[in-house]
Amino acid sequence: ISRTLVKHALSSEAEIPDMLVQGWVRTRRDSKAFSFLEINDGSSVASLQVVADEGIPGYERIAEMTTGAAVSVRGALVAGQGKQRWELRASSLELVGAAPESYPLQKKGHTPEFLRSIAHLRPRTNLFGAVFRMRSRLAASIHRFFQSRDFVWVSTPIITASDCEGAGEMFRVTTLDVGDAASRDTARDFFGKAAYLTVSGQLEGEAFACALSNIYTFGPTFRAENSNTTRHAAEFWMVEPEMAFCDLRGDMDMAEAFVRELIRDALENSAEEIEFLNRFVDKGLRERLEHVKDTPFVRCSYTEAVDILLKSGRTFDFPVSWGINLQSEHERFLTEEHFKSPVIVYDYPKEIKPFYMRLNDDGRTVTAMDVLVPGIGEIVGGSQREERLDILLENMKRQGMNEEAYRWYADLRRYGSVPHAGFGAGFERLLMFITGVTNIRDVLPFARTPRNCEF
Ligand code: 4AD
Ligand code: MG
């Protein structure tokens, strides 16, 4: 007899005379001649109630079937006597793995900090089960979104020589030291050459877009910035579409369609999880998601945004003037207080943006755009790329970049150059937005943040 997942048992159309359920005990209550066990197998926030009568095979070890223990139960799915539609009347049960009293998830209501310290056990809670099922579905949803539009998924390298964002926030790749001390430094590089963990697959993505028209990357990226915030991780996943024959407007349209479609998909396919999160994590979650799904995003130029901030009468910790990088407090004011909606800010000052963004005719702004959302701030950053060779080379020179190292990138402008654009969406930030979870550490299975690499 093959195993049935709890979620399928609970949504059964009819009674089932014989089934096998395997999972972990959440609670157990004993009566005189029988016991109730709540079994969860991570397929649902709901647990299946098992009724086990004294005397059935396996009952002699019932005392060891404590919270956290792994059990295997065979029995009949029958109408439930309590609030649940179905319960399992055990015909036999087996203790697969005991969990002694030291099992850390004994009672409900642990702090997020404590749960982070047991990252290997927290997936056994309802909250993290829900978040990580949604993480998996969001990944599938992202692939569906692009595949259904004929975008080609490109696996860009994780080990790379180029610093896409030019911010110098890269982890260097080294090998373990086996050589002699004298040659140690270069010998420990990537076969004698400097190599790093990628901060973005964009540059390589551009090469493929300028051949396959519409592509996307989806994979891990790394940032060595020492940011201790609730929305920065040293290792995170990014989705980066890149589109040939596309300008900034097309890029913004795609980013907006992408975010709204993912939300629609989550509301449809993760209804149970969203209901749970709406109840226990963020009371406004469902309403916010419904609103974002149905309402076009506000679009506002950087210059207009600065104007709004200056006229707001607010004093910000970081003073506002044209030319600054918008800080999270500014982004939050725009989305949460001023527009009360996701906002796409575009046309940023060229001085604060990387070399690859296309220069506007005004000579001082570039075709950059960020999607900002309430509660988080930036979830997407993108731009139309500079397709004109002369201006690109000038930018590289001005920023002191090694032209030889980026010759291949400039080649894309030497041979059949086209206007093209793309964006990067932070997978974890999207997930935070869709789950209402407010700390990036709680949407990553094993978060890598500064000084956090214990697992
Ligand atoms: O704005 P960023 O740095 O843009 C790029 O890397 C471009 N090359 C993307 C492109 O145009 N193809 O990063 C893009 C997104 C951000 O909007 C944010 O959602 C996420 O990646 N992100 C982070 N997420 C978690 N932790 C960090 N340290 C992040 N840094 C960026
Ligand atoms: Mg950005």
Side-chain angles (χ1 to χ4, degrees):
I1 182 165
S2 65
R3 164 186 189 202
T4 302
L5 289 176
V6 164
K7 87 167 184 183
H8 295 310
L10 289 173
S11 63
S12 178
E13 295 287 322
E15 297 199 343
I16 300 173
D18 187 19
M19 68 165 23
L20 173 69
V21 170
Q22 299 176 304
W24 292 266
V25 176
R26 282 290 173 81
T27 59
R28 193 190 83 233
R29 285 178 294 125
D30 298 321
S31 283
K32 197 124 196 235
F34 58 92
S35 297
F36 291 117
L37 296 151
E38 298 283 337
I39 310 289
N40 189 285
D41 63 3
S43 63
S44 166
V45 290
S47 300
L48 179 64
Q49 172 153 293
V50 171
V51 188
D53 288 325
E54 191 180 9
I56 60 169
Y59 195 85
E60 60 284 357
R61 299 192 73 179
I62 195 84
E64 292 168 81
M65 296 178 199
T66 53
T67 301
V71 294
S72 191
V73 187
R74 231 173 127 159
L77 192 72
V78 298
Q81 288 153 11
K83 53 182 159 40
Q84 263 179 0
R85 186 165 168 217
W86 299 114
E87 65 185 27
L88 190 65
R89 285 237 147 230
S91 54
S92 69
L93 72 174
E94 183 194 340
L95 176 70
V96 178
E101 256 175 77
S102 56
Y103 182 60
L105 293 169
Q106 288 297 343
K107 15 182 224 299
K108 291 175 188 168
H110 297 295
T111 65
E113 291 76 19
F114 172 72
L115 291 168
R116 275 170 219 146
S117 77
I118 51 164
H120 59 308
L121 294 174
R122 68 178 185 170
R124 298 190 193 186
T125 64
N126 272 342
L127 170 63
F128 288 97
V131 166
F132 292 122
R133 281 192 300 278
M134 285 182 71
R135 186 178 167 106
S136 164
R137 285 188 206 127
L138 182 60
S141 181
I142 286 168
H143 281 295
R144 262 199 309 278
F145 178 87
F146 288 117
Q147 297 281 339
S148 69
R149 286 166 176 75
D150 289 316
F151 281 58
V152 176
W153 180 34
V154 179
S155 310
T156 49
I158 287 169
I159 298 176
T160 181
S162 41
D163 181 1
C164 175
E165 295 306 291
E169 289 166 342
M170 304 185 87
F171 292 106
R172 192 166 180 150
V173 174
T174 63
T175 51
L176 288 176
D177 179 20
V178 285
D180 61 303
S183 63
R184 189 171 290 164
D185 278 336
T186 48
R188 286 169 81 182
D189 272 334
F190 187 79
F191 306 107
K193 276 204 149 63
Y196 309 88
L197 296 181
T198 187
V199 295
S200 159
Q202 178 199 319
L203 303 188
E204 294 92 344
E206 283 183 55
F208 271 68
C210 293
L212 304 179
S213 288
N214 290 333
I215 66 97
Y216 68 107
T217 73
F218 184 21
T221 48
F222 306 85
R223 302 272 165 112
E225 59 185 330
N226 193 358
S227 291
N228 289 282
T229 77
T230 54
R231 46 182 216 144
H232 287 91
E235 175 178 337
F236 63 98
W237 279 52
M238 195 164 24
V239 190
E240 296 183 275
E242 191 71 30
M243 298 161 284
F245 306 99
C246 181
D247 61 9
L248 183 68
R249 175 179 293 256
D251 199 34
M252 292 195 283
D253 290 347
M254 186 57 72
E256 176 171 343
F258 172 72
V259 173
R260 289 175 58 191
E261 171 68 16
L262 296 183
I263 288 172
R264 198 201 54 70
D265 195 87
L267 283 165
E268 192 176 308
N269 293 314
S270 296
E272 186 203 62
E273 284 79 9
I274 288 174
E275 153 129 39
F276 174 84
L277 294 162
N278 196 70
R279 190 126 62 102
F280 296 108
V281 173
D282 177 353
K283 299 255 184 290
L285 178 66
R286 190 202 304 276
E287 199 185 327
R288 192 168 65 245
L289 294 178
E290 293 284 356
H291 176 81
V292 173
K293 171 176 73 89
D294 297 331
T295 324
F297 293 179
V298 171
R299 298 189 187 187
C300 156
S301 73
Y302 170 91
T303 302
E304 287 164 347
V306 164
D307 230 45
I308 289 166
L309 293 167
L310 286 173
K311 289 187 179 140
S312 69
R314 240 349 136 77
T315 34
F316 294 104
D317 292 336
F318 194 97
V320 177
S321 63
W322 198 94
I324 63 157
N325 241 323
L326 296 182
Q327 307 294 308
S328 125
E329 53 174 334
H330 307 134
E331 296 176 345
R332 296 189 67 159
F333 177 83
L334 292 170
T335 57
E336 289 164 30
E337 294 181 52
H338 188 78
F339 291 116
K340 299 188 168 56
S341 154
V343 185
I344 308 184
V345 179
Y346 60 92
D347 287 347
Y348 282 74
K350 68 173 181 192
E351 275 76 20
I352 57 172
K353 290 294 179 185
F355 75 103
Y356 55 71
M357 293 188 180
R358 190 179 198 279
L359 186 65
N360 279 317
D361 292 344
D362 62 13
R364 58 182 209 144
T365 62
V366 288
T367 52
M369 64 98 177
D370 279 356
V371 179
L372 316 177
V373 298
I376 299 173
E378 178 189 340
I379 58 169
V380 171
S383 64
Q384 185 177 336
R385 322 305 189 188
E386 185 55 77
E387 86 283 13
R388 297 162 294 188
L389 181 64
D390 51 339
I391 300 180
L392 183 77
L393 293 176
E394 236 171 75
N395 290 349
M396 287 169 53
K397 193 165 280 161
R398 198 176 56 243
Q399 302 203 8
M401 293 169 63
N402 177 350
E403 271 180 53
E404 227 9 76
Y406 292 90
R407 192 176 174 79
W408 68 271
Y409 183 72
D411 268 358
L412 304 175
R413 281 76 181 162
R414 285 190 186 94
Y415 310 121
S417 188
V418 290
H420 59 289
F423 62 82
F427 184 51
E428 287 74 19
R429 294 204 188 162
L430 287 166
L431 192 57
M432 288 166 73
F433 189 51
I434 294 176
T435 59
V437 168
T438 54
N439 196 313
I440 196 166
R441 291 164 181 79
D442 298 334
V443 297
L444 280 154
F446 294 94
R448 295 286 172 266
T449 51
R451 288 171 301 286
N452 229 321
C453 195
E454 282 145 47
F455 290 89

Coordinates of all heavy atoms in Angstrom, one line a residue, residues 164-165 199-203 221 223 225 227 231-242 251 353 356-357 370-371 378-383 385 422-430 440, ligand 1:
C164 N 29.2 42.9 -12.5 CA 28.1 43.5 -13.2 C 27.7 44.8 -12.6 O 27.6 45.8 -13.3 CB 26.9 42.5 -13.2 SG 25.5 43.2 -14.0
E165 N 27.5 44.9 -11.3 CA 27.0 46.1 -10.7 C 28.1 47.1 -10.4 O 27.8 48.2 -10.0 CB 26.2 45.8 -9.5 CG 24.9 45.0 -9.7 CD 24.1 45.6 -10.8 OE1 23.5 46.7 -10.5 OE2 23.9 45.1 -11.9
V199 N 27.4 38.5 -8.9 CA 26.4 39.4 -8.3 C 25.1 39.5 -9.1 O 24.1 40.0 -8.6 CB 26.9 40.8 -8.0 CG1 28.1 40.7 -7.0 CG2 27.3 41.5 -9.3
S200 N 25.2 39.1 -10.4 CA 24.1 39.2 -11.3 C 24.4 38.5 -12.6 O 25.6 38.5 -13.0 CB 23.8 40.7 -11.6 OG 23.1 40.8 -12.8
G201 N 23.5 37.8 -13.2 CA 23.7 37.1 -14.5 C 23.4 38.0 -15.7 O 23.4 37.6 -16.8
Q202 N 23.2 39.3 -15.4 CA 22.7 40.2 -16.5 C 23.7 40.3 -17.7 O 23.2 40.2 -18.8 CB 22.5 41.6 -15.9 CG 22.1 42.6 -17.0 CD 22.3 44.0 -16.5 OE1 22.1 44.3 -15.4 NE2 22.8 44.9 -17.4
L203 N 25.0 40.5 -17.5 CA 25.8 40.7 -18.6 C 25.9 39.5 -19.5 O 25.8 39.6 -20.8 CB 27.3 41.1 -18.2 CG 27.4 42.3 -17.2 CD1 28.8 42.6 -17.0 CD2 26.6 43.5 -17.7
T221 N 22.6 34.3 -6.5 CA 23.6 35.4 -6.7 C 24.1 35.8 -5.3 O 23.5 35.4 -4.3 CB 22.9 36.6 -7.4 OG1 21.7 36.9 -6.7 CG2 22.6 36.3 -8.9
R223 N 26.2 38.7 -2.8 CA 26.7 40.1 -2.5 C 27.4 40.1 -1.2 O 26.9 39.6 -0.2 CB 25.5 41.0 -2.4 CG 24.5 41.0 -3.6 CD 25.0 42.0 -4.7 NE 24.3 41.8 -5.9 CZ 23.4 42.6 -6.5 NH1 23.0 43.7 -5.9 NH2 22.8 42.3 -7.6
E225 N 28.2 42.7 0.5 CA 27.9 43.9 1.2 C 27.6 43.5 2.7 O 26.9 42.5 2.9 CB 26.8 44.7 0.6 CG 25.5 44.0 0.5 CD 24.4 44.8 -0.2 OE1 24.4 46.0 -0.1 OE2 23.5 44.1 -0.8
S227 N 25.5 44.3 4.9 CA 24.2 44.9 5.2 C 23.5 44.0 6.2 O 23.2 42.9 6.0 CB 23.4 45.0 4.0 OG 23.9 46.0 3.1
R231 N 16.1 42.9 4.7 CA 15.9 42.6 3.3 C 17.2 42.3 2.5 O 17.1 42.3 1.2 CB 15.0 43.7 2.6 CG 15.5 45.0 3.0 CD 14.7 46.1 2.4 NE 15.6 47.2 2.1 CZ 15.5 48.0 1.0 NH1 14.5 47.8 0.2 NH2 16.4 48.9 0.8
H232 N 18.3 42.2 3.1 CA 19.5 41.9 2.4 C 20.1 40.5 2.9 O 20.2 40.3 4.1 CB 20.6 42.9 2.7 CG 20.4 44.2 2.0 ND1 19.6 45.2 2.6 CD2 20.7 44.7 0.8 CE1 19.5 46.3 1.8 NE2 20.2 45.9 0.6
A233 N 20.5 39.7 1.9 CA 21.2 38.5 2.2 C 22.4 38.4 1.4 O 22.5 39.1 0.3 CB 20.3 37.3 1.9
A234 N 23.4 37.7 1.9 CA 24.7 37.6 1.1 C 24.5 36.6 0.0 O 25.2 36.6 -1.0 CB 25.8 37.1 2.0
E235 N 23.6 35.6 0.1 CA 23.3 34.7 -0.9 C 21.8 34.7 -1.2 O 21.0 34.5 -0.2 CB 23.7 33.3 -0.5 CG 23.3 32.2 -1.5 CD 23.8 30.8 -1.2 OE1 24.8 30.7 -0.4 OE2 23.2 29.8 -1.6
F236 N 21.3 35.1 -2.3 CA 19.9 35.2 -2.6 C 19.7 34.8 -4.1 O 20.6 34.6 -4.8 CB 19.4 36.6 -2.4 CG 19.9 37.7 -3.2 CD1 19.3 38.1 -4.4 CD2 21.2 38.2 -3.0 CE1 19.8 39.1 -5.2 CE2 21.7 39.2 -3.8 CZ 21.0 39.6 -4.9
W237 N 18.5 34.5 -4.4 CA 18.2 34.1 -5.8 C 17.6 35.3 -6.6 O 16.9 36.1 -6.0 CB 17.1 33.0 -5.8 CG 17.8 31.6 -5.6 CD1 18.6 31.3 -4.5 CD2 17.7 30.5 -6.4 NE1 19.0 30.0 -4.6 CE2 18.5 29.5 -5.8 CE3 17.0 30.1 -7.5 CZ2 18.6 28.2 -6.3 CZ3 17.1 28.9 -8.1 CH2 17.9 27.9 -7.4
M238 N 18.0 35.4 -7.8 CA 17.5 36.5 -8.7 C 16.9 35.9 -10.0 O 17.5 34.9 -10.5 CB 18.6 37.5 -8.9 CG 18.0 38.8 -9.4 SD 19.0 40.3 -9.4 CE 20.7 39.8 -9.3
V239 N 15.9 36.5 -10.4 CA 15.3 36.2 -11.7 C 15.6 37.4 -12.6 O 15.3 38.5 -12.3 CB 13.7 36.2 -11.7 CG1 13.1 35.7 -12.9 CG2 13.3 35.5 -10.4
E240 N 16.3 37.1 -13.8 CA 16.7 38.3 -14.6 C 16.3 38.0 -16.1 O 17.0 37.4 -16.8 CB 18.2 38.5 -14.5 CG 18.6 38.9 -13.1 CD 20.1 39.2 -13.1 OE1 20.9 38.3 -12.9 OE2 20.5 40.4 -13.2
P241 N 15.1 38.6 -16.5 CA 14.8 38.5 -17.9 C 15.6 39.6 -18.7 O 15.9 40.6 -18.1 CB 13.3 38.9 -17.9 CG 13.1 39.7 -16.7 CD 14.1 39.2 -15.7
E242 N 15.8 39.3 -19.9 CA 16.5 40.2 -20.8 C 15.8 40.1 -22.2 O 15.7 39.0 -22.7 CB 18.0 39.9 -20.9 CG 18.8 41.0 -21.5 CD 19.0 42.2 -20.7 OE1 19.0 42.2 -19.4 OE2 19.1 43.3 -21.3
D251 N 10.1 47.3 -20.7 CA 10.7 46.7 -19.5 C 9.8 46.9 -18.3 O 9.6 45.9 -17.5 CB 12.1 47.3 -19.3 CG 13.0 46.5 -18.4 OD1 12.9 45.3 -18.5 OD2 13.8 47.1 -17.7
K353 N 24.2 55.2 -11.0 CA 23.8 53.9 -11.6 C 25.0 53.3 -12.3 O 25.9 54.0 -12.7 CB 22.6 54.1 -12.5 CG 21.3 54.4 -11.8 CD 20.8 53.3 -11.0 CE 19.6 53.5 -10.2 NZ 19.2 52.4 -9.3
Y356 N 26.2 50.2 -17.5 CA 25.5 49.6 -18.7 C 24.2 50.3 -19.0 O 23.5 49.9 -19.9 CB 25.4 48.1 -18.4 CG 24.6 47.8 -17.1 CD1 23.3 48.0 -17.0 CD2 25.3 47.2 -16.1 CE1 22.6 47.7 -15.8 CE2 24.7 46.9 -14.9 CZ 23.3 47.1 -14.7 OH 22.7 46.9 -13.6
M357 N 23.7 51.2 -18.1 CA 22.4 51.8 -18.4 C 22.4 52.8 -19.5 O 23.4 53.6 -19.6 CB 21.9 52.3 -17.1 CG 21.6 51.2 -16.0 SD 20.7 51.9 -14.6 CE 20.6 50.4 -13.6
D370 N 13.1 51.1 -10.9 CA 12.9 50.2 -9.8 C 11.5 50.0 -9.5 O 10.7 51.0 -9.5 CB 13.6 50.8 -8.5 CG 15.1 50.7 -8.5 OD1 15.7 50.0 -9.4 OD2 15.7 51.2 -7.6
V371 N 11.1 48.8 -9.2 CA 9.7 48.6 -8.7 C 9.8 48.6 -7.1 O 10.5 47.8 -6.5 CB 9.1 47.2 -9.2 CG1 7.7 47.0 -8.6 CG2 9.1 47.2 -10.7
E378 N 12.4 48.2 -2.6 CA 12.7 47.7 -3.9 C 12.6 46.2 -4.0 O 13.2 45.5 -3.3 CB 14.2 48.2 -4.3 CG 14.6 47.7 -5.6 CD 16.1 47.9 -5.9 OE1 16.7 48.8 -5.2 OE2 16.7 47.2 -6.7
I379 N 11.8 45.7 -5.0 CA 11.8 44.3 -5.2 C 12.4 44.0 -6.6 O 12.8 42.9 -6.9 CB 10.5 43.6 -5.0 CG1 9.4 44.2 -5.9 CG2 10.0 43.6 -3.6 CD1 8.1 43.4 -5.9
V380 N 12.3 45.0 -7.5 CA 12.9 44.8 -8.9 C 13.7 46.0 -9.2 O 13.4 47.1 -8.9 CB 11.7 44.7 -9.9 CG1 12.2 44.7 -11.3 CG2 10.8 43.5 -9.6
G381 N 14.8 45.7 -9.9 CA 15.7 46.8 -10.5 C 16.0 46.5 -11.9 O 16.4 45.3 -12.1
G382 N 15.9 47.4 -12.8 CA 16.2 47.1 -14.2 C 16.5 48.3 -15.0 O 16.6 49.4 -14.5
S383 N 16.7 48.1 -16.3 CA 17.0 49.3 -17.1 C 17.0 48.9 -18.6 O 17.1 47.7 -18.9 CB 18.4 49.8 -16.8 OG 19.4 48.9 -17.1
R385 N 19.4 49.0 -21.7 CA 20.9 48.9 -21.7 C 21.5 49.9 -22.8 O 20.8 50.1 -23.8 CB 21.4 47.5 -22.0 CG 20.6 46.4 -21.3 CD 20.5 46.6 -19.8 NE 19.9 45.3 -19.2 CZ 19.5 45.3 -17.9 NH1 19.6 46.3 -17.1 NH2 19.0 44.1 -17.5
G422 N 16.1 44.8 -19.6 CA 15.8 43.7 -18.7 C 15.7 44.2 -17.2 O 15.9 45.4 -16.9
F423 N 15.5 43.3 -16.4 CA 15.4 43.6 -15.0 C 15.8 42.4 -14.1 O 15.9 41.3 -14.6 CB 14.1 44.1 -14.6 CG 12.9 43.2 -14.7 CD1 12.6 42.2 -13.7 CD2 12.1 43.2 -15.8 CE1 11.6 41.3 -13.9 CE2 11.0 42.4 -16.0 CZ 10.7 41.4 -15.0
G424 N 16.1 42.7 -12.8 CA 16.4 41.7 -11.9 C 15.4 41.8 -10.8 O 15.2 42.8 -10.2
A425 N 14.7 40.6 -10.5 CA 13.8 40.6 -9.4 C 14.3 39.7 -8.3 O 14.7 38.6 -8.5 CB 12.4 40.1 -9.8
G426 N 14.4 40.2 -7.1 CA 14.9 39.4 -5.9 C 13.8 38.4 -5.6 O 12.7 38.8 -5.2
F427 N 14.2 37.1 -5.7 CA 13.2 36.0 -5.4 C 12.7 36.1 -4.0 O 11.5 36.0 -3.7 CB 13.9 34.7 -5.7 CG 13.1 33.5 -5.6 CD1 11.9 33.4 -6.2 CD2 13.5 32.4 -4.9 CE1 11.1 32.3 -6.1 CE2 12.7 31.2 -4.8 CZ 11.5 31.2 -5.4
E428 N 13.7 36.3 -3.0 CA 13.2 36.4 -1.6 C 12.4 37.6 -1.3 O 11.5 37.5 -0.5 CB 14.5 36.4 -0.7 CG 15.2 35.0 -0.6 CD 16.0 34.7 -1.9 OE1 16.3 35.6 -2.6 OE2 16.3 33.5 -2.1
R429 N 12.7 38.7 -2.0 CA 11.8 39.9 -1.7 C 10.4 39.7 -2.3 O 9.5 40.1 -1.7 CB 12.5 41.1 -2.3 CG 13.8 41.4 -1.6 CD 14.2 42.9 -1.7 NE 15.5 43.0 -1.1 CZ 16.3 44.1 -1.4 NH1 15.9 45.0 -2.2 NH2 17.5 44.2 -0.8
L430 N 10.4 39.0 -3.5 CA 9.0 38.7 -4.0 C 8.3 37.8 -3.0 O 7.1 38.0 -2.7 CB 9.2 37.9 -5.3 CG 9.6 38.8 -6.5 CD1 10.0 37.8 -7.7 CD2 8.5 39.7 -7.0
I440 N 14.0 38.6 5.7 CA 14.5 37.8 4.6 C 15.1 36.5 5.1 O 15.0 35.5 4.4 CB 15.5 38.6 3.7 CG1 15.7 37.9 2.4 CG2 16.9 38.8 4.4 CD1 16.5 38.7 1.3
Ligands
4AD1 O1 19.1 46.2 -8.2 P1 20.1 45.1 -8.4 O2 21.4 45.2 -7.8 O3 20.2 45.0 -10.0 C1 21.0 44.1 -10.7 O4 21.7 43.3 -10.2 C2 20.8 44.2 -12.1 N1 21.9 43.6 -12.8 C3 19.5 43.5 -12.5 C4 19.2 43.5 -14.0 O5 18.9 44.5 -14.5 N2 19.2 42.3 -14.6 O6 19.4 43.8 -7.9 C5 18.1 43.4 -8.4 C6 17.2 42.9 -7.3 C7 16.8 44.0 -6.3 O7 15.8 44.8 -6.8 C8 16.4 43.2 -5.1 O8 15.1 42.7 -5.2 C9 17.4 42.0 -5.2 O9 17.8 41.9 -6.5 N3 18.5 42.2 -4.3 C10 18.7 41.5 -3.2 N4 17.9 40.7 -2.5 C11 18.3 40.2 -1.3 N5 19.5 40.5 -0.8 C12 20.4 41.4 -1.4 N6 21.6 41.7 -0.8 C13 20.0 41.9 -2.6 N7 20.5 42.8 -3.5 C14 19.6 42.9 -4.5

